[in-house]
């Protein structure tokens, strides 16, 4: 990093330390992808901060930046957020069973903390997490999560996948069969032992770890 870059980083670190627990006056807001950016002047420094965009459950700060003006601070923050998303995308694991790019545990955990899940949806995630690498058929998943029908559990299963995909801005393929549905594959991959047996859904290890830590 250049001397100017080191100086800017040191200035930013000082500003961030001062501003963690303080209010920024004259706040301006701007949406940027899945983020809500708030910027203003704090103790003479122009500061921009990024938060999850509503309807996220919390307003935990995700990243921040400083600049000579609030507008320049916003532009600097956008670069940080874009790099954050590029890095995350590049680190996703390719699931060989389905060809799906699987988010990291950290990404899943962030999504679970921000999306609004019903008690029934939480029960479903926990049931599939407890099943571990053995997985569950949709019928067994319905029983474990307390659903009266397979159709209801499939609908909820896909809904959770869509919520996570929307928060993480994942690209989903067009919906096909239940086994090839992109929303479902955000959560798990399906395994069919034989044509006479129903598919077993096995939750991605990264999501199992996130469910254990968050829910």
């Amino acid at each position: 990093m250049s001397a100017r870059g080191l100086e800017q980083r040191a200035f930013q670190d000082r500003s961030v330390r001062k501003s963690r627990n303080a209010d920024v006056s004259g706040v301006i807001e701007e949406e940027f992808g899945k983020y809500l950016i708030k910027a203003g002047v704090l103790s003479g420094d122009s500061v921009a901060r990024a938060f999850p965009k509503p309807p996220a459950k919390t307003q935990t700060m995700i990243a921040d930046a400083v600049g000579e003006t609030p507008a320049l601070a916003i532009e600097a923050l956008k670069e940080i957020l874009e790099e954050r998303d590029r890095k995350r995308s590049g680190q996703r694991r390719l699931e060989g069973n389905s060809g799906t790019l699987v988010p990291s545990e950290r990404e899943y955990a962030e999504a679970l903390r921000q999306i609004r899940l019903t008690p029934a949806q939480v029960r479903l995630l926990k049931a599939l997490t407890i099943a571990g690498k053995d997985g569950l058929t949709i019928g067994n998943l319905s029983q474990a999560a307390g659903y009266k029908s397979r159709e209801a559990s499939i609908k909820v299963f896909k809904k959770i996948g869509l919520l996570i995909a929307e928060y993480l801005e994942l690209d989903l393929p067009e919906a096909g069969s239940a086994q090839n549905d992109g929303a479902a594959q955000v959560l798990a991959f399906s395994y069919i032992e034989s044509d006479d047996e129903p598919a077993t859904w096995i939750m991605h290890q990264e999501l199992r770890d996130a469910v254990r830590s968050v829910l």
Side-chain angles (χ1 to χ4, degrees):
M1 183 179 294
S2 66
R4 180 179 177 82
L6 290 172
E7 182 179 5
Q8 170 68 11
R9 176 62 61 83
F11 171 62
Q12 178 171 324
D13 290 344
R14 290 195 301 272
S15 177
V16 168
R17 286 196 296 270
K18 287 192 298 180
S19 65
R20 291 289 184 187
N21 299 314
D23 292 328
V24 179
S25 61
V27 174
I28 57 176
E29 296 186 356
E30 179 178 335
E31 291 188 1
F32 182 65
K34 61 177 176 286
Y35 306 104
L36 175 64
I37 295 177
K38 299 181 180 181
V41 178
L42 173 69
S43 301
D45 297 330
S46 295
V47 181
R49 299 167 176 168
F51 303 87
K53 187 169 65 176
K57 289 192 300 185
T58 70
Q59 282 289 290
T60 302
M61 186 172 67
I62 292 175
D64 48 18
V66 296
E68 294 182 2
T69 66
L72 291 176
I74 289 174
E75 292 306 309
L77 182 54
K78 287 180 179 178
E79 292 182 5
I80 291 173
L81 294 172
E82 287 175 342
E83 177 60 26
R84 176 181 191 261
D85 290 343
R86 280 195 297 269
K87 184 176 180 180
R88 284 185 161 196
S89 296
Q91 292 176 340
R92 289 171 185 160
R93 173 178 65 84
L94 179 64
E95 172 54 62
N97 293 277
S98 62
T100 302
L101 289 175
V102 180
S104 66
E105 177 188 348
R106 180 175 293 182
E107 284 190 278
Y108 276 127
E110 181 180 316
L112 292 176
R113 290 189 180 99
Q114 299 301 338
I115 63 177
R116 299 181 184 276
L117 296 171
T118 67
Q121 290 170 334
V122 171
R123 287 198 303 271
L124 187 148
L125 286 174
K126 287 185 175 180
L128 207 53
T129 297
I130 292 170
K133 294 181 179 180
D134 292 332
L136 292 170
T137 65
I138 291 297
N140 291 335
L141 182 59
S142 300
Q143 295 175 357
Y147 292 99
K148 295 182 179 179
S149 69
R150 296 176 70 258
E151 291 72 21
S153 59
I154 291 173
K155 183 178 180 179
V156 174
F157 194 58
K158 294 180 179 179
K159 178 62 176 177
I160 299 171
L162 286 172
L163 288 172
I164 292 176
E166 183 176 312
Y167 180 81
L168 295 178
E169 296 185 331
L170 304 177
D171 293 326
L172 299 180
E174 293 184 7
S177 65
Q179 282 71 40
N180 294 322
D181 186 87
Q185 290 174 1
V186 171
L187 307 182
F189 66 89
S190 63
Y191 171 73
I192 302 177
E193 187 170 354
S194 69
D195 293 339
D196 298 330
E197 298 292 331
T200 297
W201 285 91
I202 302 172
M203 182 180 278
H204 303 308
Q205 179 66 55
E206 293 86 347
L207 181 53
R208 292 204 301 269
D209 293 339
V211 170
R212 292 189 183 102
S213 66
V214 176
L215 302 180

